[in-house]
Amino acid sequence: MEGSIMSYQLFSSNHLLDSRLDRAWLNIPLLHCHPCPVVLFLAYFTLQVIYARRKHKISPPQTTGHPEFERIFRAQVNCSEYFPIFISLLWVAGIFFHQGVAAACGLLYLYTRFKYFQGYAAAAQGRLRPLYASAWLLWLLLGLAVAGLLAHFLLSVPSTWLAALARPLQLLGAW
């Protein structure tokens, strides 16, 4: 019991985890909504693969066969591969930069991924425009996350020149 209290005291006294970060976990209702649509999208994409398997009589674990099935299968796998990156960037950008901006980027990302899936299922060329849009949104979320992290850590250091460097980040909305 005493060891757990001491480890909590050590964890909570860490100078990098200040009260702003502690409060940030409680004040992010927009970010709390994103995992549900992500799970629904993944379920929808998986069901489309199941329907395509049945339609073209392709049994698991086979991943080749009719071109329509292969496109649907690849679209589902591609979306599944990028969702962990998306969720990570969304949360970091939302906590350290601004939850409203991150949530808006997140909704746009989900929309472009849905359009990507539909376009890829119809034809391989149909995936390109939504693919570029979703990649751009991931880069934007990465930029927001980096700006927020820089502002958070530079503003917590009591140095005037570091604070001067962080001032433009503060004006952008990060903290």
Side-chain angles (χ1 to χ4, degrees), residues 21-73:
L21 183 57
D22 294 336
R23 286 191 313 266
W25 285 104
L26 300 174
N27 297 325
I28 50 173
L30 295 176
L31 297 181
H32 287 253
C33 299
H34 279 77
C36 293
V38 168
V39 170
L40 292 174
F41 273 93
L42 291 173
Y44 171 76
F45 297 155
T46 302
L47 287 173
Q48 296 306 307
V49 172
I50 292 170
Y51 297 148
R53 281 188 184 279
R54 290 179 183 162
K55 179 180 177 182
H56 300 292
K57 297 177 179 35
I58 300 171
S59 300
Q62 197 173 12
T63 58
T64 58
H66 194 276
E68 180 187 21
F69 165 75
E70 289 182 10
R71 287 192 311 270
I72 292 171
F73 180 76

Side-chain angles (χ1 to χ4, degrees), residues 5-157:
I5 292 172
M6 186 173 5
S7 66
Y8 174 74
Q9 288 172 342
L10 287 174
F11 178 76
S12 64
S13 67
N14 186 344
H15 74 280
L16 296 178
L17 294 173
D18 63 1
S19 63
R20 290 182 298 176
L21 183 57
D22 294 336
R23 286 191 313 266
W25 285 104
L26 300 174
N27 297 325
I28 50 173
L30 295 176
L31 297 181
H32 287 253
C33 299
H34 279 77
C36 293
V38 168
V39 170
L40 292 174
F41 273 93
L42 291 173
Y44 171 76
F45 297 155
T46 302
L47 287 173
Q48 296 306 307
V49 172
I50 292 170
Y51 297 148
R53 281 188 184 279
R54 290 179 183 162
K55 179 180 177 182
H56 300 292
K57 297 177 179 35
I58 300 171
S59 300
Q62 197 173 12
T63 58
T64 58
H66 194 276
E68 180 187 21
F69 165 75
E70 289 182 10
R71 287 192 311 270
I72 292 171
F73 180 76
R74 284 305 317 154
Q76 184 262 338
V77 170
N78 290 347
C79 290
S80 298
E81 290 170 346
Y82 277 93
F83 275 131
I85 297 167
F86 160 67
I87 289 292
S88 301
L89 289 174
L90 175 77
W91 278 79
V92 173
I95 290 171
F96 289 99
F97 189 79
H98 190 275
Q99 74 162 328
V101 175
C105 289
L107 289 175
L108 286 172
Y109 180 82
L110 291 175
Y111 175 76
T112 58
R113 270 303 170 174
F114 181 71
K115 296 305 278 181
Y116 169 84
F117 186 87
Q118 287 181 326
Y120 203 171
Q125 290 296 337
R127 77 189 195 285
L128 294 177
R129 181 179 248 167
L131 175 67
Y132 297 143
S134 65
W136 184 84
L137 286 164
L138 282 179
W139 281 108
L140 179 61
L141 281 171
L142 177 65
L144 296 175
V146 168
L149 286 169
L150 284 174
H152 175 75
F153 289 112
L154 290 179
L155 291 175
S156 65
V157 176

